[in-house]
């Protein structure tokens, strides 16, 4: 049977995947290639369901997949933080019956989704002994992940996918922009892509060429 991981006192009844209240235990059974023993992990109902569908090769790979699934499920809530600030929502004129509820709850929903995406869990240990992956420092998605606009993505590719879908951007064009400008200028690349939605591949190429020329000067 899987062994329940060590749970810090302040994390009792907390989902390891997303930091929401937990009401399930997720059993991860090791395969011959799995770099850790079978584990029992506290999880909320939603993460428990997603984890069972994305076992992959380790509990950490499983966590990455759960995060990606959560991002897809709550993309609209996360988009609130892209399109609005808290102050803008407060000052908006959404006072009718239909949009009044959105005005009151939108920022809270964004913060909940953001918090779940950014949850790091806690280092995995059994009977006080850290798992080898934790000791080696290669267990966390945040080693290779990407953070932008206060949201931690499992990878730069996932961030590109999220913003492309949320803002209806050409993902290939956005990826080329980021390749050219670098991930430190991710926000600038998104801005350029937003200003040029629907342009032809030829015009995309022209913009990329112009950016290249500016960088060479």
């Amino acid at each position: 049977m899987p062994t329940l991981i060590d749970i810090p006192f302040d994390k009792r009844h907390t989902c390891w995947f997303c930091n929401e209240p937990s009401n399930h235990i997720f059993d991860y059974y090791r395969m011959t290639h799995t770099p850790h023993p079978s584990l029992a992990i506290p999880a909320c109902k939603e993460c428990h369901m997603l984890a069972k569908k994305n076992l992959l090769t380790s509990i950490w790979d499983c966590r990455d997949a759960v995060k990606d699934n959560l991002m897809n499920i709550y993309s609209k809530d996360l988009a609130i933080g892209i399109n609005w600030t808290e102050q803008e929502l407060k000052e908006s004129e959404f006072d009718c019956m239909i949009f009044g509820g959105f005005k009151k709850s939108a920022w809270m929903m964004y913060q909940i989704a953001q918090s779940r995406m950014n949850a790091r869990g806690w280092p995995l240990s059994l009977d006080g002994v850290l798992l080898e992956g934790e000791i080696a420092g290669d267990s966390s998605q945040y080693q290779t992940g990407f953070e932008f606009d206060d949201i931690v993505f499992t990878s730069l590719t996932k961030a590109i996918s999220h913003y492309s879908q949320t803002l209806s951007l050409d993902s290939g064009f956005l990826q080329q922009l980021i390749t050219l400008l670098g991930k430190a200028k991710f926000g600038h690349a998104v801005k350029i892509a937003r200003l040029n939605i629907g342009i032809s591949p030829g015009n995309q190429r022209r913009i990329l060429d112009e950016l290249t020329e500016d960088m060479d000067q």
Side-chain angles (χ1 to χ4, degrees), residues 35 58 60-61 63-64 131-144:
S58 74
W60 300 297
D61 287 337
R63 177 175 60 181
D64 286 354
L131 299 188
E132 288 190 12
E134 299 285 359
I135 297 173
D138 59 359
S139 64
S140 175
Q141 67 211 37
Y142 300 93
Q143 297 277 331
T144 57

Side-chain angles (χ1 to χ4, degrees), residues 173 177 181 187-197 207 211:
F173 182 42
L177 287 168
L181 299 173
H188 185 50
V190 169
K191 182 178 180 179
I192 294 174
R194 292 187 74 175
L195 291 172
N196 294 280
I197 291 177
I207 291 172
L211 288 170

Side-chain angles (χ1 to χ4, degrees), residues 11-67:
K11 296 296 183 180
R12 293 174 302 166
H13 313 299
T14 299
C15 176
W16 180 77
F17 295 94
C18 75
N19 218 33
E20 285 288 289
S22 64
N23 49 10
H24 287 72
I25 294 295
F26 169 59
D27 291 329
Y28 189 100
Y29 290 89
R30 77 177 302 274
M31 303 292 285
T32 55
H33 55 264
T34 306
H36 55 72
S38 296
L39 303 170
I41 307 282
C44 66
K45 180 179 180 180
E46 187 169 38
C47 288
H48 182 266
M49 177 187 68
L50 295 173
K52 289 198 299 183
K53 296 179 179 179
N54 296 279
L55 299 176
L56 300 177
T57 61
S58 74
I59 190 62
W60 300 297
D61 287 337
C62 178
R63 177 175 60 181
D64 286 354
V66 168
K67 294 286 189 179

Side-chain angles (χ1 to χ4, degrees), residues 46 50 67-80 109-110 112-114 116-117 162 166:
E46 187 169 38
L50 295 173
K67 294 286 189 179
D68 287 346
N69 276 261
L70 287 175
M71 179 160 287
N72 290 334
I73 293 170
Y74 295 102
S75 60
K76 290 183 179 180
D77 294 318
L78 291 168
I80 292 168
M109 295 304 297
Y110 163 68
I112 291 173
Q114 179 196 45
R116 293 185 73 187
M117 287 305 309
H162 173 67
T166 301

